[in-house]
Amino acid sequence: MENFDKHIKTELRDYEVDPPAGFWHNISEQLNIEEAITVDPARKGSAFFLLFRIAAIFLGVVFIGDKFQSSSNTLRIPTAKFQPEDLTQGIATPVANLETHKSSTKIIRAKVIKETTSPNTYLVANSEDVSNHRENDIVVPEKEEVTVTNEEVKADTNEDFVINDKSIPVYSLKLISKEVPENDEFSVIEPKSKDAQKKVIVIEKGISKKPSLDVRIPYRF
Amino acid sequence: MSTQLPTYSDQQIIEGCMKSDRKFQELLYKKFAGKMYSVCLRYAGEQNSAQDILQDGFVKVYTNICKFRSEGSFEGWVRRIFVNTSLEFIRKKANLYVAQEPDANSMVNYDENGLQKLMKEDIMELIQSLSTGYRTIFNLYVVEGFSHKEIAEMLNISEGTSKSQLARARYILKERLETKMNYNTNINFNAAEL
């Protein structure tokens, strides 16, 4: 039995029969069809990644554009530093921190306590509690209020604001709302003051211009 | 198929085929077509089916050549593809187990010397004359060297079925072999008389 199997295996294992002539052309044609139908997986993958890259770039541009727009809507005025002893001398003059150009102003939020008859004018007070702030809430410097006289403020001029002029107080306001119109105005009062007064601050965009301040009381931000 | 092939190593041919280079694909075809066609003929039993299997087998080789891991011989890998393609073809087109041939336990005496005298073409013809089921199991066990367990898994049959089919295949082959040898002897005898 083993000899029988062994002999047949030996004879047939390497036995060759020539296929019909031209048979390769049949296979070649079938390969052409298969290759035309089959989508190259590498190309399929690269197309997917190309679409993915385009989508990622688009999202990145949208994200950066949104960030840029939101930052440009925030009005920032460099704050001026002042010495506490200046307060004791009656007139405090903030000192502009131009070297580092960093804001040393501590930002707090102001709370609307009363809406005035003017649609864009709000009465606000300093407060750390910001639980009920509105869309047009503003932030004002904390503990850096100084008292100056009306003579020191020369408003309603369109001259470039010279920040080196130490006689001009510079304060910072940070507007939370992104859509505060230019030349809008709001009123603030000091609740702790004995003679609580209000003042009106007009918003101007662009720090190169001197801010228009209409100070009605000897208190300002 | 022993045509003058350019001197390319198997590895070069494989790498060329991986790039779907027709030149290397044709070289691979010329190298293995003869052997693989004989495999197809042994399993299919007739030429038309064998040619279908041959074409499908080569297309499978070309499309799956990147999966070859060089763990065994390349020819063995190619042969395995053709055997599997043949089995798929048989499953689709033929009924594997139809005939109940004579009892395998009955012994048939045959002359081993006569077997030696048989040509390869004669053996091939004898195997092709077997029914599909016997032919398949005989090829898988005797020629390809698979075990009964492997054959049972490949054909989804029991090991016992595989053994009994092989025994019957052997019986039929030996019987036909003896007939053929007698026929050849008579031809030779008559030729000598003339």
Side-chain angles (χ1 to χ4, degrees):
Chain A
M1 196 73 71
E2 286 181 4
N3 287 338
F4 179 79
D5 288 358
K6 193 175 178 180
H7 178 74
I8 289 182
K9 182 174 182 177
T10 309
E11 291 292 313
L12 294 185
R13 183 75 183 177
D14 295 323
Y15 180 54
E16 293 189 21
V17 180
D18 286 344
F23 195 76
W24 161 248
H25 295 292
N26 297 345
I27 297 174
S28 183
E29 283 176 13
Q30 191 175 344
L31 285 172
N32 289 337
I33 295 169
E34 297 272 338
E35 286 171 1
I37 293 172
T38 307
V39 178
D40 186 3
R43 287 184 184 174
K44 195 177 178 182
S46 66
F48 172 77
F49 281 112
L50 182 64
L51 287 175
F52 182 78
R53 283 177 194 165
I54 291 170
I57 290 168
F58 177 75
L59 289 175
V61 168
V62 168
F63 180 76
I64 292 169
D66 184 59
K67 281 282 181 186
F68 179 77
Q69 190 176 7
S70 63
S71 64
S72 65
N73 283 338
T74 303
L75 177 62
R76 282 183 177 275
I77 302 173
T79 185
K81 280 189 175 178
F82 57 91
Q83 302 299 325
E85 51 268 23
D86 291 341
L87 294 174
T88 60
Q89 295 173 2
I91 298 174
T93 302
V95 179
N97 187 13
L98 294 176
E99 293 179 356
T100 59
H101 211 283
K102 292 179 180 177
S103 173
S104 61
T105 301
K106 184 175 181 180
I107 303 299
I108 62 168
R109 289 179 177 176
K111 178 181 176 183
V112 176
I113 56 172
K114 183 181 179 183
E115 188 169 348
T116 63
T117 54
S118 175
N120 290 323
T121 303
Y122 302 96
L123 297 179
V124 298
N126 285 343
S127 172
E128 292 286 343
D129 181 10
V130 293
S131 58
N132 293 320
H133 71 275
R134 297 164 55 120
E135 185 183 1
N136 282 335
D137 281 357
I138 58 168
V139 290
V140 297
E142 182 192 36
K143 306 280 186 192
E144 291 187 4
E145 301 84 358
V146 294
T147 305
V148 295
T149 61
N150 285 338
E151 288 76 19
E152 292 179 347
V153 178
K154 295 178 180 177
D156 299 329
T157 61
N158 288 326
E159 298 173 357
D160 286 346
F161 176 63
V162 182
I163 203 163
N164 286 329
D165 187 352
K166 295 183 179 180
S167 65
I168 301 173
V170 180
Y171 306 99
S172 73
L173 295 173
K174 181 178 181 181
L175 302 177
I176 294 175
S177 171
K178 296 178 181 178
E179 296 177 354
V180 176
E182 195 170 6
N183 298 324
D184 198 4
E185 62 178 32
F186 57 90
S187 300
V188 295
I189 62 168
E190 171 54 57
K192 293 178 182 178
S193 174
K194 291 179 181 178
D195 49 348
Q197 299 283 339
K198 75 170 184 179
K199 70 171 183 177
V200 177
I201 297 177
V202 179
I203 300 170
E204 284 190 358
K205 293 184 178 178
I207 62 172
S208 65
K209 297 289 183 183
K210 184 177 179 179
S212 299
L213 296 176
D214 179 15
V215 180
R216 298 179 184 176
I217 56 169
Y219 170 81
R220 74 173 57 158
F221 294 100
Chain B
M1 262 307 177
S2 55
T3 54
Q4 310 88 356
L5 292 176
T7 52
Y8 288 106
S9 67
D10 274 0
Q11 191 57 38
Q12 286 173 313
I13 293 175
I14 290 166
E15 286 170 4
C17 290
M18 282 179 179
K19 296 171 187 170
S20 298
D21 189 326
R22 283 283 182 279
K23 175 187 159 191
F24 286 98
Q25 287 176 334
E26 188 173 2
L27 282 176
L28 189 141
Y29 168 80
K30 284 178 179 173
K31 187 170 186 177
F32 292 113
K35 284 183 183 176
M36 296 310 131
Y37 189 46
S38 91
V39 171
C40 299
L41 279 171
R42 269 195 289 115
Y43 282 91
E46 50 92 18
Q47 288 190 355
N48 288 335
S49 301
Q51 288 171 15
D52 288 344
I53 297 169
L54 185 70
Q55 185 164 333
D56 287 350
F58 269 112
V59 171
K60 280 185 185 175
V61 168
Y62 296 136
T63 52
N64 292 288
I65 201 163
C66 350
K67 296 177 185 172
F68 176 62
R69 295 283 175 252
S70 304
E71 291 167 355
S73 75
F74 182 58
E75 185 180 333
W77 182 79
V78 173
R79 180 183 288 266
R80 183 64 190 260
I81 286 181
F82 276 90
V83 169
N84 287 339
T85 309
S86 301
L87 294 179
E88 282 174 22
F89 183 86
I90 289 166
R91 281 193 203 101
K92 286 178 189 172
K93 301 268 174 154
N95 189 355
L96 265 178
Y97 313 112
V98 283
Q100 286 295 321
E101 302 278 351
D103 185 8
N105 293 324
S106 60
M107 295 297 294
V108 175
N109 295 320
Y110 70 100
D111 182 7
E112 287 196 0
N113 293 328
L115 179 66
Q116 304 291 336
K117 291 173 190 171
L118 275 180
M119 302 290 286
K120 290 179 181 178
E121 290 79 4
D122 296 327
I123 298 173
M124 192 77 177
E125 190 182 325
L126 284 174
I127 291 175
Q128 284 182 298
S129 70
L130 289 171
S131 66
T132 307
Y134 297 150
R135 187 173 63 240
T136 305
I137 290 170
F138 185 84
N139 277 324
L140 289 172
Y141 186 87
V142 175
V143 184
E144 314 298 344
F146 289 109
S147 68
H148 284 296
K149 187 179 179 182
E150 289 170 324
I151 293 169
E153 288 173 0
M154 290 164 76
L155 300 180
N156 199 23
I157 57 175
S158 68
E159 281 187 55
T161 304
S162 175
K163 286 176 184 173
S164 64
Q165 296 268 320
L166 177 67
R168 286 177 186 143
R170 276 201 191 109
Y171 171 84
I172 296 162
L173 268 182
K174 286 170 186 173
E175 192 180 50
R176 291 176 184 172
L177 182 64
E178 196 171 68
T179 307
K180 194 169 188 69
M181 283 190 298
N182 291 335
Y183 176 75
N184 287 347
T185 306
N186 288 336
I187 288 178
N188 292 336
F189 178 74
N190 292 333
E193 277 185 339
L194 293 174

